[in-house]
Amino acid sequence: MKQKQLGIIYIITSAFFFALMSFFVRLSGDLPVIQKSFFRNLVAFFVALFILLKEKQSFKIGHGNMKYMLIRATAGTLGILCNFYAVDHLNLADASILNKLSPFFAVIFSIFLLKEKVKLAEWLTLAVAFIGAIFVIKPSFTMEFIYAVIGILGGISAGLAYTCVRKLGTRGVKGSVIVIFFSGFSCLVTLPQIIFNYKPMTLQQLIFLLLAGCAAAGGQLTITAAYTKAPAKEISVFDYSQIIFTTSLGFLFLNQIPDTLSIIGYIIIVGAAIFKWRYNMKHIEQAK
């Protein structure tokens, strides 16, 4: 099987894992978002540590990389908190599509962190994606609007975090090292809140949070594997299959049905992503 085909399989698998993560987070019920985040990152930390030890890799950050690690960890922590908050208060599909605005925001951050030049077509797809987001968030003076804005903040934070991951990757930092640092940082930041404001959990809630952590770890590992098989520009659009998975899980198990405006928003955002992917592929072919 070709490397690109393997990459596509891996990234679709990661989308399914991340959809499961959101699903289990929602099933864990009325628990503080910080508590949910802590357990999610705790599992990811030990999974990444196991891989690092198994592959006998050193925990090496490298000179000049700490600032990017801290930005990635801070943005990633904020992104997870916002995303989990949105998952708790919106339809799974709505929360997922708002989080999937991250690649569009990554375009903006890449200008400053990666010194990349953004073409007119990419600015246009960014504008179209924002139009799609408006259909999903449905601006109004309601709490639903506030929840949706928090979901977008999660997408912005994730976009910054992914840009830092790309920056660190170009500087030779291993993916497992990035995951360990981020997960450990997030656990330490949220630990005081856990100690002083811990909310007792049932065994079922604990199991759901551990499953969410396992699903998140699976998603991180498979998406890392995907991008080692093929460039992001060639396969990233398949990550939007997560919308299909989250919509299906929400409909089958939570009786969630997206409204017409949200569905229009999904189509616009995914359409913008597909256009951006085709545009990139065309230029890749021309460069060969």
Side-chain angles (χ1 to χ4, degrees):
M1 186 178 291
K2 294 181 179 179
Q3 294 295 295
K4 182 179 175 181
Q5 292 173 321
L6 276 175
I8 292 171
I9 291 173
Y10 277 130
I11 203 165
I12 292 175
T13 303
S14 76
F16 178 67
F17 275 128
F18 283 126
L20 279 179
M21 179 196 73
S22 296
F23 178 63
F24 288 131
V25 166
R26 184 63 178 257
L27 288 182
S28 64
D30 186 24
L31 293 172
V33 170
I34 288 180
Q35 194 163 318
K36 293 182 179 184
S37 171
F38 177 83
F39 281 94
R40 177 253 191 241
N41 286 309
L42 188 65
V43 174
F45 175 85
F46 283 110
V47 170
L49 180 63
F50 172 78
I51 292 172
L52 193 74
L53 295 175
K54 183 180 179 182
E55 296 180 354
K56 297 180 179 179
Q57 297 177 0
S58 61
F59 186 81
K60 185 178 180 181
I61 295 176
H63 179 71
N65 293 329
M66 179 56 75
K67 61 180 178 181
Y68 299 114
M69 292 286 274
L70 288 172
I71 295 172
R72 187 269 180 267
T74 303
T77 300
L78 181 60
I80 287 178
L81 292 174
C82 290
N83 179 234
F84 281 11
Y85 191 86
V87 165
D88 278 346
H89 295 88
L90 300 172
N91 283 347
L92 286 183
D94 282 7
S96 178
I97 196 68
L98 294 175
N99 190 253
K100 288 303 173 188
L101 290 170
S102 56
F104 297 100
F105 289 114
V107 170
I108 298 175
F109 291 121
S110 67
I111 298 173
F112 303 101
L113 291 179
L114 304 175
K115 309 302 179 184
E116 293 181 351
K117 293 183 179 180
V118 180
K119 297 180 176 65
L120 177 61
E122 292 179 302
W123 283 118
L124 290 175
T125 57
L126 182 62
V128 171
F130 279 129
I131 293 172
I134 290 173
F135 279 92
V136 178
I137 67 176
K138 295 176 276 291
S140 61
F141 296 101
T142 64
M143 287 306 297
E144 288 290 319
F145 173 62
I146 301 300
Y147 301 148
V149 170
I150 291 173
I152 288 182
L153 288 175
I156 294 173
S157 300
L160 176 57
Y162 293 147
T163 306
C164 288
V165 169
R166 286 174 58 200
K167 180 72 174 181
L168 290 164
T170 62
R171 295 170 69 93
V173 182
K174 297 291 185 181
S176 54
V177 173
I178 298 173
V179 173
I180 287 175
F181 186 93
F182 157 58
S183 301
F185 175 91
S186 185
C187 286
L188 287 175
V189 168
T190 55
L191 185 59
Q193 179 71 14
I194 299 297
I195 293 173
F196 295 107
N197 295 290
Y198 178 80
K199 184 174 181 178
M201 297 183 292
T202 65
L203 177 60
Q204 184 183 59
Q205 287 176 315
L206 176 61
I207 290 173
F208 281 140
L209 286 185
L210 292 177
L211 287 173
C214 291
Q220 288 180 331
L221 292 173
T222 48
I223 201 168
T224 300
Y227 289 134
T228 62
K229 300 297 181 182
K233 287 185 176 182
E234 297 184 18
I235 64 173
S236 60
V237 70
F238 294 96
D239 192 29
Y240 284 84
S241 59
Q242 183 178 335
I243 309 304
I244 298 173
F245 296 132
T246 51
T247 303
S248 300
L249 289 170
F251 175 74
L252 292 173
F253 299 102
L254 302 174
N255 198 31
Q256 295 180 350
I257 303 175
D259 61 29
T260 303
L261 288 178
S262 287
I263 292 173
I264 293 172
Y266 303 166
I267 293 171
I268 293 174
I269 294 171
V270 174
I274 292 173
F275 174 83
K276 185 172 179 287
W277 170 69
R278 288 179 63 86
Y279 177 83
N280 289 333
M281 291 301 296
K282 181 180 178 180
H283 282 73
I284 290 171
E285 291 296 326
Q286 289 176 348
K288 290 182 178 179

